[in-house]
Amino acid sequence: MPLWKEYFTPTTVAEALAIRSRYGHDALFVAGGTDLVLDMQHGNHAPVMALVDVTTIGALHQIVEAEDHVVIGAAVTHAEIESNPLVREHGTALTESCGVVGGPQVRNVGTIGGNVAHALPAADGTIGLLALNAEVQVSTFDGNLVNAVWQPLLSIFAGPGKNNLGDNQMVTAFRFHTRHLGQASAFDRIMRPQGVALPILGAAANLTLGDGGLRVAAATLAIGPAGPIPFRATAAEQILQDAVALDDALIERAVLAAQEQAELRTSKHRASKEYRHEMVAVLLQRVLSRSIERARRDF
Amino acid sequence: MAALTLTVNGVSHTLEIPANRFLAEVLRYDLGLTGTKLGCNEAECGACTVIVNGRSIDSCIFPALKAQGADVLTIEGVAQQWVQEHPAAGTNGDELAHLHPLQQAFVCHGATQCGYCTPGFIMQSKTLLDRTLEPTDDEIKHCLKDTYCRCTGYTAIVSSVKAAAEKMRTGVLPLPDLPDAIAPLEQIGQALPRPDAVDKVTGHARYADDYLFQDMLHGATLRSAHPHARILKIDASAALALPGVHAVLTYADVPGELRHGLVEYDWPAFAGGAYPARYVGDPIALVVADTPEQAHDALAHIQVAYEVLPAVTDPVAARSPEAPVLHPDRPTGNLLKHIKVRHGDIDKGFADADVIIERTYRTPRTEHAFLEPECSVAVPAGWDDPQYGQHDKLTIYVGSQIPYADRHQVARCLGLPEDAVRIKGTVMGGGFGGKEDIAGQVHAALAATVTGRPVKILYDRAESLRFHPKRHATLIRIKTGAKRDGRLTAVQAELYGDSGAYASLGEKVMTRATTHATGPYVMDSAQIDCYAMYTNNAPLRRVSRFWRHAVGVCR
């Protein structure tokens, strides 16, 4: 049984959404396909009538700076993000997270839009974007026109592997704010050496330091997998922002809060809940200290 | 069907392809560019790496229509592109000068062994050297992270990439560092390239799946749904009625002896009739069809009525009198072989010991993970192929470690004299002990004989993992007595080897384990008992070093 019978290569968002609306559940968007094709081959996703390739839409390939934001099209590959100087300057956590997805051949094909739309709580690219407080552009087709709306990244996740986009909707871009003075981010993860596609745990921190680098003015922290959808460690963020001074004791308190808030699970092929609990501390300390070190270079 | 236009190695092609075809399939089977290899089929091993518009990709899961209008470079085009861009390259009289520096370096540094991974490595390394001619070890390892080699251990590959970069910088290819030889001879003490190295770095070496015969049919295998089950009925009528299906073969179609084997004839070519399925890899039927897709799709239309039997999956449990018996015709039940070592007086040995240590160890079964999944292509006697010529005998093209044993077993099952069967040993993409047993050889030969056409049977990675024999899982109880000064006085050991459903080379492997259980040490006494047991697991056999590692763990 063929996994799909028709393969569309639209060149505009409107065309892509029109095809998808016409076919409903009988069509799927595909970008790099490095997750979707394997899921279909392994029987985790039923065959469909049609695949709609969104990488042929030229407008989804740009990385630009616009209105104090870095805007990244949904069909930009992990390799393109990894090597982009704009992203490295303003969103180091995303550079680092996209740089470890799969291997080079997969990064040359897999896209940031696919990474996010797949809605896995452990997805590296998603964790990087989440820490950057990124917004997602969702484009909706009403039969005639496409309406593109920026919304918080977390708003599109419905559960593990499920987004809440309709048949007439697609992810078309991401954006995050350009760097303020004293702001820096970092990503790291813990991974089995080979053969498992997802990490044991990934984490990213994005800090803005004030008072010449001596206190935290703003913090966003993302950890995954730590719940059914991508996870922001909001309790730890609050502790960091509320403190008058940035010291080791503060980081320890933030780590404890993150460990408490994270919903960790045991997964058969990756790690136990207990191991992940300890690794939350290891990873958060790493990404926080790297972010602090980078941010203090501004002072 | 969809139209695909693309440029491959500078040549433009327009093809009509099914919309679900992958680029690797188009390159290999539609364009005959078989230098691009399929190893895992899931973007892990990198054997299928090609360069599309300057970026390396895994072509195994790259929908071919993504390459619409693209410029594709495969291993077959690398040398030609290099020479075109460097017209002086081929003029210095060096016999490798017509190759890309990476290809030259892989030949001279011994970075190609079985060669199956080599095209992927060269393509992926090329993307690094396109960016920098001074790559560090870390950059090379980062670049090759998802490109797997099972033979070299990567050292020669890393040194080849560096050597190629140096050649591209300086025009001179550095040769590998060799250990000092007292007096190098013409051959001994020299870094000699493998005779087939140039073929392997250019993608011209032919592995079994690279043979594309005219009018070739394709086989797909239905395997048991249960680890132990009697086959009551096989109804293939629905499968036979499907378009493109030429035959569905079962045990009843085997003209000669149904059972084959390397040491014991205990392994039926098909489960059914007198022989139950004894593990989930046992074949029940073979569909032969025009295309691999038709053959695989037809499997779901074969109805098999099973009588499920109790299964034994643990070698210790298999020795119990209550255990289900796998081979009722064997006088020793599930015991394949009891192997004994007796040396000295074991009681005295322990009495003399100052320290006695007793432990139980388990080792897991181990997969060979050769990068080339098994493939057999059989051509019937009398077949004249425009590319490969006249075949005077039933001929099987297979990457096999023991072609003569293949010939014996194929002839036995087909009821032919051995000299009516020819095995053409093709280049083999890794074996490590995993390509000694019959895989598709008998089935392909039977299918070619029945249909009168060439038949290819290619397993994908998942099927290969499911059926082919692995290294034994073992349970080892070992009791060691020693003097305070370090001398051993006694070793008493009991080994249980899970030999799986069929003997294969199980008893030989376990004999080696038994005789190595004392390690390389002198001792006063030893008493070792090894029980190689039949179970309803996949058969077990040797992996390279013939098993000694497992007892090595216990020393």
Side-chain angles (χ1 to χ4, degrees):
Chain A
M1 172 122 175
L3 298 178
W4 61 86
K5 292 179 178 156
E6 292 174 86
Y7 195 90
F8 291 99
T9 51
T11 55
T12 65
V13 170
E15 194 189 337
L17 284 170
I19 298 166
R20 179 78 210 283
S21 304
R22 197 163 76 233
Y23 279 81
H25 289 308
D26 249 351
L28 285 171
F29 287 127
V30 63
T34 51
D35 279 339
L36 179 65
V37 169
L38 293 184
D39 274 355
M40 294 178 88
Q41 284 182 333
H42 294 169
N44 300 329
H45 203 300
V48 289
M49 181 60 77
L51 288 188
V52 185
D53 191 333
V54 298
T55 63
T56 44
I57 304 171
L60 304 191
H61 283 275
Q62 56 180 351
I63 303 181
V64 293
E65 190 176 341
E67 294 166 6
D68 297 331
H69 283 81
V70 175
V71 183
I72 302 176
V76 171
T77 66
H78 293 100
E80 286 162 348
I81 291 176
E82 184 189 3
S83 63
N84 185 279
L86 206 55
V87 178
R88 186 171 293 275
E89 164 66 18
H90 297 288
T92 315
L94 186 62
T95 304
E96 291 176 339
S97 64
C98 289
V100 294
V101 170
Q105 296 98 317
V106 165
R107 290 197 290 275
N108 279 339
V109 176
T111 68
I112 187 66
N115 191 281
V116 171
H118 195 188
L120 294 177
D124 301 302
T126 303
I127 291 172
L129 280 174
L130 200 54
L132 295 172
N133 218 351
E135 291 174 294
V136 56
Q137 185 189 55
V138 175
S139 292
T140 306
F141 185 62
D142 68 2
N144 292 308
L145 290 174
V146 173
N147 186 26
V149 175
W150 290 105
Q151 54 189 69
L153 185 60
L154 276 178
S155 68
I156 65 163
F157 300 116
K162 284 200 184 79
N163 63 49
N164 55 24
L165 301 177
D167 289 344
N168 62 338
Q169 290 185 307
M170 69 186 282
V171 166
T172 42
F174 305 92
R175 71 175 181 187
F176 54 88
H177 211 284
T178 48
R179 207 169 71 81
H180 301 289
L181 186 77
Q183 186 190 351
S185 63
F187 168 92
D188 204 347
R189 70 174 188 182
I190 290 167
M191 184 81 180
R192 287 195 180 276
Q194 292 290 0
V196 182
L198 287 165
I200 288 170
L201 199 73
N206 170 28
L207 300 181
T208 305
L209 302 187
D211 291 351
L214 298 178
R215 65 173 290 272
V216 178
T220 40
L221 305 174
I223 302 170
I229 64 167
F231 169 76
R232 272 268 300 269
T234 48
E237 292 171 2
Q238 201 60 50
I239 287 171
L240 290 168
Q241 286 163 185
D242 288 349
V244 290
L246 169 54
D247 54 24
D248 289 350
L250 175 65
I251 289 183
E252 235 167 80
R253 278 197 291 134
V255 164
L256 283 174
Q259 282 178 312
E260 193 165 319
Q261 192 188 2
E263 290 175 49
L264 302 170
R265 289 176 55 217
T266 293
S267 64
K268 196 172 152 199
H269 299 294
R270 289 187 277 158
S272 68
K273 178 180 171 171
E274 293 72 21
Y275 183 73
R276 282 180 160 145
H277 182 83
E278 287 189 34
M279 290 307 109
V280 166
V282 170
L283 274 182
L284 263 191
Q285 273 160 357
R286 268 190 217 164
V287 294
L288 282 170
S289 65
R290 267 176 227 164
S291 302
I292 292 165
E293 188 202 321
R294 287 170 183 167
R296 282 181 173 161
R297 289 176 200 157
D298 280 353
F299 298 105
Chain B
M1 298 296 273
L4 170 67
T5 300
L6 76 177
T7 301
V8 183
N9 303 330
V11 180
S12 179
H13 299 272
T14 297
L15 307 132
E16 280 288 315
I17 58 162
N20 63 335
R21 215 147 168 77
F22 292 106
L23 183 58
E25 299 172 310
V26 168
L27 294 171
R28 289 180 54 77
Y29 308 126
D30 295 326
L31 300 178
L33 295 170
T34 52
T36 299
K37 301 303 179 196
L38 287 170
C40 67
N41 249 327
E42 50 180 87
E44 284 290 346
C45 79
C48 64
T49 302
V50 300
I51 298 178
V52 177
N53 292 336
R55 304 172 310 164
S56 59
I57 60 113
D58 292 313
S59 61
C60 66
I61 63 155
F62 193 80
L65 290 168
K66 272 187 174 294
Q68 190 73 265
D71 198 352
V72 179
L73 183 69
T74 73
I75 188 68
E76 290 92 344
V78 169
Q80 177 200 335
Q81 188 197 56
W82 172 256
V83 171
Q84 273 169 6
E85 290 170 2
H86 302 81
T91 58
N92 65 359
D94 174 354
E95 62 185 37
L96 297 178
H98 64 289
L99 300 178
H100 187 281
L102 274 166
Q103 294 170 315
Q104 299 176 19
F106 269 61
V107 171
C108 295
H109 284 243
T112 183
Q113 289 189 27
C114 88
Y116 201 75
C117 67
T118 302
F121 269 101
I122 289 175
M123 300 313 289
Q124 182 59 19
S125 303
K126 183 178 182 302
T127 64
L128 178 63
L129 298 191
D130 287 345
R131 282 204 308 277
T132 173
L133 290 183
E134 302 205 29
T136 64
D137 281 20
D138 279 351
E139 283 173 320
I140 295 169
K141 287 174 188 170
H142 187 76
C143 170
L144 300 178
K145 183 220 162 211
D146 272 5
T147 314
Y148 294 179
C149 172
R150 290 278 293 125
C151 303
T152 63
Y154 299 96
T155 306
I157 292 174
V158 173
S159 79
S160 294
V161 176
K162 294 184 115 168
E166 188 171 331
K167 164 100 195 222
M168 291 162 81
R169 281 199 317 268
T170 66
V172 179
L173 183 73
L175 293 175
D177 289 331
L178 290 181
D180 289 336
I182 298 165
L185 305 177
E186 197 176 319
Q187 309 284 320
I188 295 168
Q190 307 289 350
L192 300 173
R194 305 173 66 90
D196 54 7
V198 172
D199 281 348
K200 286 174 172 173
V201 300
T202 53
H204 295 126
R206 274 187 203 284
Y207 300 79
D209 185 39
D210 301 339
Y211 286 83
L212 308 173
F213 288 92
Q214 195 171 50
D215 295 328
M216 186 169 73
L217 303 174
H218 298 266
T221 314
L222 181 71
R223 298 188 186 273
S224 177
H226 305 281
H228 201 189
R230 205 163 281 127
I231 314 299
L232 303 178
K233 188 162 180 266
I234 306 167
D235 179 359
S237 51
L240 270 168
L242 292 171
V245 173
H246 290 251
V248 179
L249 305 173
T250 69
Y251 73 95
D253 299 297
V254 177
E257 296 289 333
L258 192 51
R259 294 190 296 179
H260 55 72
L262 281 170
V263 177
E264 308 224 4
Y265 298 125
D266 63 354
W267 197 335
F270 291 100
Y275 305 113
R278 297 186 181 97
Y279 80 114
V280 292
D282 256 332
I284 293 171
L286 180 81
V287 176
V288 189
D290 285 328
T291 71
E293 294 77 20
Q294 288 169 337
H296 283 280
D297 287 350
L299 297 179
H301 297 266
I302 301 172
Q303 305 290 327
V304 179
Y306 295 97
E307 179 194 343
V308 178
L309 303 171
V312 57
T313 57
D314 175 89
V316 179
R319 227 183 129 210
S320 144
E322 287 89 53
V325 176
L326 270 77
H327 297 269
D329 52 340
R330 290 181 57 89
T332 52
N334 289 334
L335 179 67
L336 171 59
K337 193 161 186 188
H338 177 193
I339 305 142
K340 295 182 210 177
V341 172
R342 298 289 183 269
H343 165 62
D345 180 342
I346 194 80
D347 295 331
K348 183 172 182 305
F350 283 119
D352 290 347
D354 298 325
V355 181
I356 295 174
I357 293 175
E358 193 168 0
R359 295 274 192 281
T360 300
Y361 304 87
R362 285 175 188 276
T363 63
R365 58 177 55 80
T366 309
E367 160 65 33
H368 306 79
F370 36 75
L371 279 179
E372 177 210 21
E374 301 91 334
C375 180
S376 297
V377 193
V379 181
W383 185 265
D384 193 8
D385 185 83
Q387 188 176 358
Y388 296 104
Q390 181 71 32
H391 290 71
D392 59 338
K393 298 177 182 183
L394 171 63
T395 305
I396 297 113
Y397 294 75
V398 59
S400 165
Q401 291 185 245
I402 322 180
Y404 286 95
D406 290 351
R407 182 175 72 163
H408 173 73
Q409 293 176 91
V410 168
R412 175 183 159 88
C413 290
L414 267 70
L416 296 170
E418 287 197 22
D419 63 6
V421 177
R422 175 173 285 128
I423 304 290
K424 284 262 200 184
T426 65
V427 182
M428 181 169 58
F432 317 117
K435 288 179 181 165
E436 293 175 337
D437 298 274
I438 287 296
Q441 295 93 321
V442 170
H443 288 178
L446 176 64
T449 306
V450 168
T451 62
R453 283 167 65 171
V455 177
K456 176 181 283 183
I457 300 177
L458 169 67
Y459 303 126
D460 68 10
R461 179 62 55 184
E463 185 172 9
S464 168
L465 287 171
R466 177 171 167 183
F467 89 87
H468 88 243
K470 326 247 179 274
R471 175 189 275 152
H472 291 67
T474 58
L475 174 79
I476 304 171
R477 294 191 192 110
I478 194 156
K479 181 178 168 188
T480 307
K483 302 293 279 183
R484 294 243 170 251
D485 64 6
R487 278 179 298 134
L488 297 176
T489 58
V491 168
Q492 188 177 37
E494 190 179 55
L495 292 80
Y496 279 89
D498 179 349
S499 281
Y502 301 106
S504 179
L505 288 178
E507 114 184 29
K508 305 274 179 209
V509 177
M510 291 314 295
T511 300
R512 192 70 69 92
T514 311
T515 55
H516 285 69
T518 54
Y521 305 108
V522 173
M523 62 196 63
D524 301 333
S525 65
Q527 178 187 320
I528 303 160
D529 291 278
C530 175
Y531 305 97
M533 301 303 301
Y534 281 111
T535 69
N536 292 110
N537 292 324
L540 288 298
R541 59 130 48 262
R542 81 180 187 90
V543 177
S544 291
R545 288 164 302 283
F546 235 103
W547 200 87
R548 291 190 310 275
H549 85 290
V551 283
V553 167
C554 309
R555 304 281 4 140

